[in-house]
Amino acid sequence: MRALGADPSTAAVALHPGDAISTPRRTVYIILLGALTALGPFTIDLYLPAFPVLQEDFRTSAAAIQLTLTGTMIGFALGQLIVGPLSDKVGRRIPLLSVTALHVLASFAAALAPSLELLSGARVAMGMGAAAGGVVAMAIVRDLFGGRRLVVMLSRLALVSGVAPVIAPLIGSALLSVMSWRGIFVVLAVYGAVMLISAIALLPETLPRARRHDRGATTVLQRYQSVFRDRVFIGVLIIGAMTFSGLFSYLSASSFLFQVTHGLNAQEYGVLFAVNSIGVVVGVQTASRLAARFGPPWMLAFSTAALFVAAVAIILTDQLGLGLWGTVVPLFFFMTACGFTFPCVQVLALDRHGKAAGTAASVLGACNFGVAGLISPVVGWIARDAGITATTMASVMVGCAAIGVLALWLIVRPRTAGRLAP
């Protein structure tokens, strides 16, 4: 495709549909797709500061409350596995609109839940309903862009994916100061409704009808085979899942660690998350610039090593008795390393699978949140007798980071991963 000007012979070649999109329209897409991507992390994390309150209201254990988080993440993972391949088959809009509507209904159900069991069921449905935003957003970006511009656009979504889980508890803390925990779910329902209306009004179908029937990509099984036969995709899948697992191990334990162990109130706890969000922003924005120059595999070589070192440092400072700041400082560097990792994982996963972008995005997201949902409660299990400490939290983070390092060098193998497509 060529975008022609006054002199066609000197017109810039547009290799991808998004290359011809105007800057204002591209900005609208970034804002809307970013907001859709944030729906999942906000659904998962907005109620984290309410964990102690939920524990008291339902008269249950901390581990039981953490299972509501696990259920949400498992629902989110399952929803992505359904939405991604479906969006490759029928287009992006129908799955996005249908599943987002489910999120709105499930959020109202959670707000009215009279028991922990019903709340857990509603949370699973909320997770499934929030699944479409991130998957379809990444697939739309891959429909429109490629090469270095793909790196830039995905870095914007990765920024949202990385920052939203970190700032969501800050917003949740502020909401708790003016409403009960049930009000948080009403806010999530309204957010989902706004996203649904905005997608109907502003988001076009980006998957051409012809591409929904490409040879070799006509069935769900064939699309899954195309991504799972890719060694590099498998490697970055593991790295992404381990990074998210380390992140969510921290998130699931943080409200108990900082509010119970260190005595912070809900607002102070939220401020702590705001500080950490700066690290994620710095990591994502730096990675988006350096990845195009040095290549995503080499950026992952740096970030996975930094994740491991930072997690080990949290254990060391805790064992040395350095208190709150001894945990917060290395934790900031851990979050920054997460910011470096997220966009590189997304670029390597999607750049190689343009014809199955929805499927690739769904597998990536499902693995990230599904594995994290299974691993994050391990912190509570380890600390079931002595209580959650920085050491028990970081022990899981160290294990996740170590697996990520091994996956990079044994499976992805940066020297053989290849270059980005044009």
Side-chain angles (χ1 to χ4, degrees), residues 150-391:
L150 176 66
V151 174
V152 174
M153 295 297 291
L154 284 179
S155 72
R156 303 294 185 264
L157 297 187
L159 176 61
V160 174
S161 299
V163 172
V166 179
I167 66 170
L170 171 63
I171 298 174
S173 297
L175 292 175
L176 279 176
S177 67
V178 296
M179 63 180 65
S180 71
W181 62 265
R182 296 182 185 275
I184 291 178
F185 295 117
V186 174
V187 170
L188 284 169
V190 173
Y191 182 7
V194 171
M195 289 298 94
L196 180 62
I197 295 170
S198 299
I200 292 173
L202 301 174
L203 201 61
E205 178 59 65
T206 59
L207 184 67
R209 186 173 298 275
R211 279 185 54 195
R212 302 173 206 174
H213 305 284
D214 277 350
R215 182 180 298 274
T218 57
T219 69
V220 171
L221 178 60
Q222 288 170 327
R223 287 190 288 274
Y224 275 122
Q225 286 176 339
S226 71
V227 297
F228 280 115
R229 286 173 178 168
D230 181 0
R231 167 182 58 82
V232 173
F233 181 86
I234 295 297
V236 298
L237 193 66
I238 296 172
I239 294 170
M242 290 301 102
T243 302
F244 264 83
S245 295
L247 172 64
F248 279 97
S249 295
Y250 155 60
L251 292 178
S252 67
S254 61
S255 59
F256 298 107
L257 175 63
F258 294 117
Q259 293 188 77
V260 178
T261 302
H262 290 291
L264 301 183
N265 60 36
Q267 286 66 45
E268 291 170 336
Y269 168 73
V271 171
L272 180 64
F273 269 84
V275 173
N276 282 332
S277 69
I278 297 174
V280 178
V281 172
V282 170
V284 170
Q285 293 304 302
T286 304
S288 66
R289 288 168 171 78
L290 296 181
R293 180 178 179 183
F294 298 105
W298 296 109
M299 295 304 302
L300 287 176
F302 165 78
S303 67
T304 53
L307 287 169
F308 181 80
V309 171
V312 170
I314 294 173
I315 296 177
L316 292 177
T317 55
D318 186 49
Q319 293 302 304
L320 291 173
L322 299 183
L324 177 63
W325 286 106
T327 298
V328 170
V329 172
L331 183 59
F332 177 85
F333 288 101
F334 184 90
M335 301 302 290
T336 302
C338 287
F340 270 92
T341 303
F342 295 143
C344 296
V345 165
Q346 290 181 359
V347 169
L348 281 177
L350 297 184
D351 183 65
R352 304 165 69 89
H353 297 285
K355 291 186 177 181
T359 301
S362 71
V363 172
L364 182 63
C367 192
N368 284 348
F369 287 93
V371 173
L374 294 174
I375 291 179
S376 58
V378 172
V379 178
W381 180 80
I382 294 174
R384 63 190 182 279
D385 296 323
I388 292 175
T389 66
T391 296

